[in-house]
Each structure stands twice: as structure tokens, then as C-alpha cells.
Amino acid sequence: MSEATFEGIMIHDRGIIVTANYVLAEMTGYKVAELIGKNSQELIALESQELMKKNILSGSEIPCEVIVVRKDGSTFLAELQGKVISYAGQKMHVVGARDITECKQSQELLQIREHARRKQSQTLVQLARSKTFQQGNLKAAFQEITEAAARTISVQRVGVWLYNQDHSTLECIDLYDVRTKQHTCGLSLLKANYPNYFQALEAERSLAADDAINDSRTQELSQSYLCKLGIASLLNAPIWLGGRLVGLVSHEHCGEVRQWTLEEENFAGSIADFVTLAIEASERNAAEAALRQSEAQFRAIFECSSIGIGLIDMQAQIVDANPALCQMLGYSRDELCGKQFTNYVSPQTGDLELLEQLIVGISSDPQKLLERHRIEMERLFLHKEGGLVWTQLSVSVIPDSYGKPEFFLTMIEDITERKQTELKLRASQAAAEAGSRAKSEFLATMSHELRTPLNAIMGLSQLLQQEMVGPLNEKQKEYISCVYSSGEHLLALINDILDLSKVEAGKEELLLLPLLVTDICNSVISTVGDQALDKGLQIKSIIAPQADICVADERRIKQMLLNLLTNAIKFTAKGEVSLEVEKVSDGITFTVADTGIGIDANQFQFLFEPFKQLDSRLNRQYEGTGLGLALTRKLARLHGGDVKVESTLGKGSRFTIFLPDQPYSVDEDSRC
């Protein structure tokens, strides 16, 4: 035995202290001189004296633990061990003493902690085995978790708080109070009102506030929450879900300030993990329920759909077929399943490449499943009885859980009746177009046959008017004038019909040349000037400085403008008619405006139809064939342009011809 092992040492003779070291004196509060001659039993508490006699004074070398009484009356726990030694031919009893108070306290604390750890482990094991989590009942799971946590670490209240959708508020989902043994909810903490607290929650692994009221992280909660409920210490553990903070588990200790241990912080973290597991189980059960419902709905759609649906594996074998597809092809489901899909469809060149591109595209980039997840085509299917079925075929790819193509989903709509109707319509349309072309070609070739006799009639009428073959009386002059004017009107009508037919037949060729806009405008204005003067109308032209040249067929541009000006004068009783020319970015516009009767917007659709005037009343009041506007638009479009109209009933109209900028050759320019 050495002083390194036992700090205090004394030598006694039949219980009387013969000598002692200074360490023992300091331990007991005596001076060394005061210890010498003192009965060692006086240093031992009454309850330990019997043990002292038995193990130390008897000469035993077995260590024993006794309570030592200091000079001031205080006590401490000490371990004593005696040993008999020989010194100078005499036997001496040496006793070593060691203060083991702290050691004992540490052992007791370790035992308490070990007990707490076992209790926490048992709770976690019980929660892990609980069937509540498997059932997905979130409310029941939260109640079980909060009760277990409160019971295990001996706190008065445990609550589960979750963030709302926009992460601006913590809402209490379940709060268990040990005293009342009741679960409540509904409390909320607005993030804007407690910025430091929320910042600490998001920054720290766990928030352990021993003195919650004075802790800078939780002090904001003092007045509105902690003091009202008597909460002294707060232990918050964050709830993480998918790498995102979704809430916390709050352990609230009431009464005296409590110092949280590392084990308790770890336990709180485990409790928060169980909350995460409960949420995940609930979401998983909800997803599975939704999946079951979705599968039931899909099966109902699959079975009841009027469109044929087939599920095809990647080897082109039919896995399933709905009743509509079976009826469409004349087979039963058993006859189709397991057979090659290509046995029933008439493929075309390139079909295989399309399917391969669809598969490869989705395999390399699953997002393409959303962007372009199907291909559509019209294909012929073979009926069991040998007939052909026209179908609209849509093919989609269904991936597996890893995003790899697993099945083809085919949607097959019977369009046989529609295709037959289309073929009939096409045949009818082709026949109508052929008839129209034949009519236009016939009329275009009838130019001389129609004009020659009419010219003869008009020529002879002129000779008679000039009295070349003898004098005429007044009645004869009147009749001859009527014949001539009627022939003139008929010639204009025939010219319009022939021009329109020639354009429709595609036999009209334009001679595009650069033309002076002022020359064109002056020419057409002078032509219709007398008509305007007879009706008392003002007629004018307004030409923008930039609109000096246009590229067009001279005869046709004049014809278009004359048609519009003649119409404007015809339907204007008073006011004015104007011709406005402007240069635009990609061409030139000629606008004929009037202050006439105007046109109802509902009638715009009939304006440019051949032989069409707007109503019978106008037909009676105003002469015309209805060909002028139709021919004008066709000629404008032949130039690459168009004609547009703006009009207000009773206020007038504006017809605008747009001619695009056109290239022309040097030879054409030289002919100008």
C-alpha cells in the first residue's frame, strides 16, 4: 500500500492513532497533533463503526467503505484498508484512507443515466414495433409518439408542430399534456412574429434551451407562450422529410429550470425521426390508395371504352386487349393475348423506325415521355373474317419504375366509315373542280365567239346612228341608241365574265412593270370623272410622296381601281370619292373611300362572291353583275396581294388593294 493509492495514512495501536500524515489531517479537518492519541473510532460515523471494528481494527486487510466524520461534523464517504507491517521488530497496523464521495456520486449518476438510456431504448423499440405506423393513421401515430416521449423523459408536455404550405407558420398538430392526459391541437406560431426562434430552428440540429425564458433563441416566446404555460425548459427536435424541414417535436418542462442531457437530445431526435416515419407511412398509404383507385378507374375505362385498347410488350406480343378491340377485329381476348400484334396490322415503311426512335428517346431522356409520349398514324387492320378495318392508331410507351420502356399502349379507333366518306368527298370535290375548270376553260375560249357578233351589232348600230345609210326619224334614233347602249352593257358583262374565267382557269399572265403611280391615278380618275360630275360628287386622289412607283400589270391595276371607283360612285348619293395611295413596309396600298350607303359588317362575307349583290333591294336600285369585286380580289391575289374592306352602314366604305413589292427584270424595265 502506498500513499499514491490511499491519500490519507495513519498508524494505530489497538485503535489509538500513533501517527498520521498531513493528507489525512486535511481530509478530516484536524491537525496532525490533534489526531495522535485519538481513538480512530471517533473519526467514524456511528453506523460505520461496527464495519470499522470488523475489517480494520481486527487486522483484516479487506477494504471497506465507511462514513468519516470531519472535525466540523460534516461527513464524507471513504474507503479504508488496513495492513500489518513489521517495523523495528514490532508489528504495526497501518490504515490507508481515500475520499470516494465523488466517485460514488459519479457511479450513481452513471446508473441513473444508464437507466434512462435503457428506458429510452425500450421506448424506441416499442415505437418501432408499433402497428400504428403501418396502418397509416397519422393522428393515432402522433398521439402514441407524444405520450411515449413525455413518459420516457419525464416532461409535462410534448407536441408535434408542422409548417403550413408556404412555410410561414408552425401549426400544432398534436399536443399531449401529462397532467390532464389529453391531446389538443390548433395552436400556431407565425414566423414573422418570432424571427430569432425560427432562424435557430432552421440553423441548429436541435434546440435545447435549459433556461428557455432567458435563452436568446427562445426568449421571443416568453410572453405569449412560455410564461402562460409555466414552461421553464424547452427541447425542440427538427422533423426532416425528403431533405426538407417540415416541423418540430417540442418537449416542454414546467417548474424549475432543467438541464438537458446529450442522451435526451439524441432521444428527442429519434422521436422526430419517428414522426417522419409516420408522415411517410401516411403518405405512402394515401398514394397506394390513390393508385388502387386509379387502377380501378383505368380498368373501368379499359373495359368500357368504345375505342380499342391493347397492351403490347416490348417483343410486340399482345398482353391484354379490351372488349372494343376484340369486337373491332372479330377475335376473343384469349385469341388475341400472346399473339404478335404485327399479325393484325398492315405496316408501312418506316413504322419500325418510328417505334425505335420513341423507345430510344424515352430511354435516354425520361422527360421526353412528357414532351412527346406517343406517335399517331392511320393504319389498316385485318379482321378475322378477312376484311380490312381503317383505324387511327396511337402508340404510347409505358415505362417501368426505373423509367425504362416496358409496354406499348395502343389506342385504336375504327375510322372506316369516316375514310369511306372522305374518299367520296374527295371524288366529288375532284369532279366539281374538274367541272369548274372545264367551265372556266370553255368560257375563256369563247371570247371571240361571244365578242364577234356583239361587235357586229354595235358597229352596225353606230352606222345607223350616223345615218350612213339614210336619215332616221326620232323613234328610230331612240331605238338604235337603246340597241347600242344595251350592247355596250352586254359587252362589259361578257368581258368581266371572260376575265374572271380566264383567271380561274389559270390562263391569265401578268406583265409586271414599274409604273408611275401618278399616271395610273390620273388615268382612272379622268375615266370616271364624268360619272362623278353627273352625280354632283367630288373626286380626288391623295398620293404619299414615297408612293411614286409600283410594280404591277398596268392594264390590270387600272381595271381593279376602275372597278372600285365605279362602285364607290354608284353607291354614293352625295359627298366625295377619294383614291389614297400609301407606301407600306412590304408594298403599296391603293384605298378607294366614299361617303355612300356603307355596308353591314354581317354582309362582308358575300362581297367578293361572283354574281352576288347584297340584297334584292340593292339589285333593283343599282345596276351591276356582282363580278367587279370578285374579279378585283382575284387580280390582286394574282399579284400576290389582296383586297380588304372597312365600312360603316350609312357612313361610307373603304376598299384597300395591297400590292407587294415585286422584282422585275431589266428587259421589263426597258419596255416601260
Side-chain angles (χ1 to χ4, degrees):
M1 183 175 59
S2 66
E3 289 192 12
T5 305
F6 287 88
E7 294 88 349
I9 298 176
M10 67 178 178
I11 298 175
H12 72 94
D13 183 11
R14 292 185 294 277
I16 304 301
I17 298 174
V18 178
T19 185
N21 66 354
Y22 287 102
V23 176
L24 183 63
E26 186 176 349
M27 288 170 62
T28 58
Y30 291 95
K31 296 179 180 179
V32 174
E34 291 175 327
L35 289 173
I36 295 174
K38 197 173 185 66
N39 192 331
S40 59
Q41 287 284 77
E42 296 179 17
L43 301 177
I44 306 301
L46 185 62
E47 60 267 30
S48 298
Q49 287 183 3
E50 190 63 33
L51 190 62
M52 175 77 170
K53 289 179 183 179
K54 182 178 179 181
N55 290 284
I56 301 299
L57 299 181
S58 64
S60 172
E61 295 186 1
I62 299 175
C64 65
E65 296 178 1
V66 297
I67 299 174
V68 177
V69 180
R70 295 188 182 92
K71 183 178 180 179
D72 60 7
S74 62
T75 61
F76 66 91
L77 189 63
E79 181 183 5
L80 302 182
Q81 184 176 8
K83 188 173 182 66
V84 178
I85 63 173
S86 295
Y87 182 75
Q90 294 184 352
K91 288 185 178 181
M92 303 185 69
H93 291 264
V94 179
V95 178
R98 184 176 61 181
D99 187 345
I100 60 171
T101 304
E102 291 185 4
C103 181
K104 276 292 182 182
Q105 290 175 346
S106 297
Q107 289 178 355
E108 291 174 359
L109 184 60
L110 286 173
Q111 289 176 354
I112 293 172
R113 284 194 167 185
E114 184 60 31
H115 175 71
R117 276 196 294 268
R118 283 199 300 270
K119 189 176 181 181
Q120 293 166 9
S121 298
Q122 290 171 359
T123 297
L124 297 177
V125 170
Q126 289 172 359
L127 288 175
R129 294 175 177 173
S130 174
K131 295 182 179 180
T132 308
F133 295 90
Q134 301 172 5
Q135 296 169 353
N137 187 334
L138 203 58
K139 181 179 180 181
F142 285 172
Q143 290 183 353
E144 184 174 343
I145 290 171
T146 52
E147 288 182 20
R151 182 177 61 250
T152 302
I153 62 174
S154 301
V155 292
Q156 184 175 325
R157 293 150 53 93
V158 177
V160 175
W161 299 69
L162 298 180
Y163 279 105
N164 64 348
Q165 189 171 6
D166 63 1
H167 230 249
S168 64
T169 306
L170 271 175
E171 298 174 346
C172 183
I173 308 303
D174 181 81
L175 181 63
Y176 177 66
D177 193 312
V178 173
R179 290 183 301 182
T180 61
K181 293 183 170 53
Q182 289 183 345
H183 292 266
T184 58
C185 62
L187 295 174
S188 63
L189 297 175
L190 189 63
K191 187 175 184 178
N193 294 339
Y194 311 99
N196 293 336
Y197 174 65
F198 276 83
Q199 184 179 359
L201 286 178
E202 296 171 359
E204 300 184 20
R205 185 182 66 85
S206 65
L207 198 159
D210 299 338
D211 186 359
I213 293 177
N214 296 313
D215 193 304
S216 60
R217 299 169 297 174
T218 56
Q219 196 172 28
E220 293 173 332
L221 301 172
S222 298
Q223 187 174 357
S224 61
Y225 188 73
L226 301 177
C227 293
K228 283 185 177 181
L229 300 172
I231 300 171
S233 303
L234 199 62
L235 176 58
N236 290 163
I239 302 169
W240 294 91
L241 183 64
R244 186 170 57 93
L245 180 65
V246 298
L248 59 92
V249 180
S250 178
H251 304 77
E252 302 168 359
H253 177 75
C254 300
E256 298 294 328
V257 170
R258 171 173 176 172
Q259 185 174 1
W260 303 105
T261 65
L262 180 60
E263 290 80 5
E264 288 169 339
E265 290 188 44
N266 292 334
F267 175 75
S270 299
I271 289 295
D273 291 340
F274 273 103
V275 172
T276 300
L277 292 175
I279 296 173
E280 289 176 341
S282 176
E283 292 180 349
R284 184 168 56 252
N285 284 0
E288 290 173 353
L291 180 61
R292 287 192 296 271
Q293 182 180 2
S294 177
E295 289 175 346
Q297 292 173 344
F298 174 78
R299 176 51 62 177
I301 294 171
F302 184 81
E303 296 294 335
C304 301
S305 174
S306 60
I307 296 177
I309 303 175
L311 190 64
I312 317 298
D313 65 18
M314 302 310 292
Q315 285 72 45
Q317 284 191 340
I318 301 174
V319 177
D320 201 356
N322 74 335
L325 180 58
C326 296
Q327 183 179 1
M328 189 185 303
L329 301 181
Y331 294 91
S332 68
R333 180 175 291 181
D334 291 338
E335 288 176 320
L336 289 176
C337 291
K339 302 297 192 301
Q340 287 292 118
F341 181 71
T342 51
N343 293 344
Y344 306 96
V345 63
S346 178
Q348 293 186 10
T349 304
D351 284 359
L352 185 60
E353 288 76 8
L354 283 174
L355 293 176
E356 288 177 349
Q357 288 174 12
L358 186 63
I359 295 170
V360 171
I362 293 173
S363 299
S364 60
D365 185 2
Q367 288 299 319
K368 286 195 175 181
L369 186 63
L370 300 176
E371 297 170 5
R372 187 184 174 189
H373 61 283
R374 66 178 181 274
I375 53 176
E376 294 184 356
M377 60 193 82
E378 290 184 0
R379 293 294 179 268
L380 282 168
F381 274 74
L382 304 176
H383 193 275
K384 184 178 181 179
E385 296 179 358
L388 295 175
V389 181
W390 268 109
T391 69
Q392 179 72 31
L393 174 62
S394 174
V395 182
S396 306
V397 173
I398 300 177
D400 59 17
S401 56
Y402 300 101
K404 300 296 182 182
E406 186 175 16
F407 295 106
F408 291 112
L409 179 66
T410 59
M411 310 289 285
I412 306 166
E413 182 182 3
D414 187 343
I415 60 170
T416 303
E417 186 176 343
R418 190 181 80 193
K419 290 295 290 186
Q420 291 173 346
T421 303
E422 285 180 4
L423 292 174
K424 290 179 181 178
L425 287 174
R426 287 177 184 174
S428 300
Q429 184 179 2
E433 289 175 352
S436 178
R437 284 195 301 272
K439 176 205 69 173
S440 297
E441 290 173 0
F442 170 76
L443 290 174
T445 57
M446 289 295 292
S447 173
H448 292 291
E449 286 74 4
L450 289 172
R451 284 174 174 151
T452 300
L454 189 56
N455 287 332
I457 292 170
M458 293 179 67
L460 292 173
S461 298
Q462 280 183 318
L463 289 175
L464 291 173
Q465 281 180 329
Q466 296 170 6
E467 299 182 354
M468 299 287 292
V469 293
L472 301 174
N473 59 37
E474 292 301 322
K475 203 63 176 175
Q476 290 172 333
K477 290 180 180 180
E478 181 184 346
Y479 289 160
I480 292 299
S481 179
C482 182
V483 170
Y484 184 80
S485 61
S486 297
E488 208 174 34
H489 179 75
L490 185 58
L491 182 60
L493 174 60
I494 291 173
N495 284 336
D496 282 346
I497 293 174
L498 292 176
D499 285 343
L500 186 63
S501 300
K502 194 173 182 181
V503 172
E504 288 181 342
K507 294 186 176 181
E508 177 67 23
E509 294 182 1
L510 299 178
L511 178 61
L512 299 178
L513 296 172
L515 307 172
L516 291 174
V517 171
T518 53
D519 291 349
I520 295 173
C521 293
N522 291 337
S523 175
V524 295
I525 291 292
S526 64
T527 302
V528 297
D530 290 341
Q531 297 177 35
L533 186 61
D534 291 342
K535 295 189 69 174
L537 301 176
Q538 291 184 359
I539 186 164
K540 60 182 180 179
S541 62
I542 306 170
I543 304 173
Q546 301 85 355
D548 55 345
I549 296 292
C550 75
V551 177
D553 185 299
E554 183 176 2
R555 185 171 73 88
R556 292 310 189 185
I557 183 63
K558 288 181 179 180
Q559 186 177 4
M560 289 187 283
L561 293 176
L562 284 172
N563 284 341
L564 295 184
L565 287 167
T566 303
N567 274 356
I569 294 170
K570 181 195 302 184
F571 293 106
T572 303
K574 60 181 179 178
E576 67 177 24
V577 173
S578 64
L579 173 58
E580 304 167 9
V581 187
E582 292 184 357
K583 183 71 177 73
V584 293
S585 60
D586 51 351
I588 192 168
T589 61
F590 296 82
T591 301
V592 175
D594 64 60
T595 57
I597 62 173
I599 306 166
D600 189 335
N602 294 327
Q603 302 293 326
F604 286 0
Q605 57 183 321
F606 305 118
L607 277 174
F608 299 99
E609 292 186 14
F611 304 101
K612 185 78 172 180
Q613 284 197 341
L614 300 186
D615 57 50
S616 58
R617 182 179 61 83
L618 291 178
N619 282 334
R620 288 194 298 269
Q621 185 174 354
Y622 301 101
E623 293 183 355
T625 62
L627 292 177
L629 288 178
L631 181 58
T632 299
R633 170 169 277 187
K634 287 186 179 295
L635 289 174
R637 289 181 174 176
L638 195 61
H639 280 78
D642 204 351
V643 179
K644 294 184 179 179
V645 60
E646 300 174 37
S647 185
T648 303
L649 194 62
K651 294 185 178 181
S653 305
R654 291 174 62 86
F655 286 84
T656 300
I657 300 173
F658 166 72
L659 299 181
D661 291 331
Q662 303 259 15
Y664 57 92
S665 65
V666 175
D667 292 337
E668 290 174 336
D669 195 16
S670 63
R671 291 200 299 268
C672 180

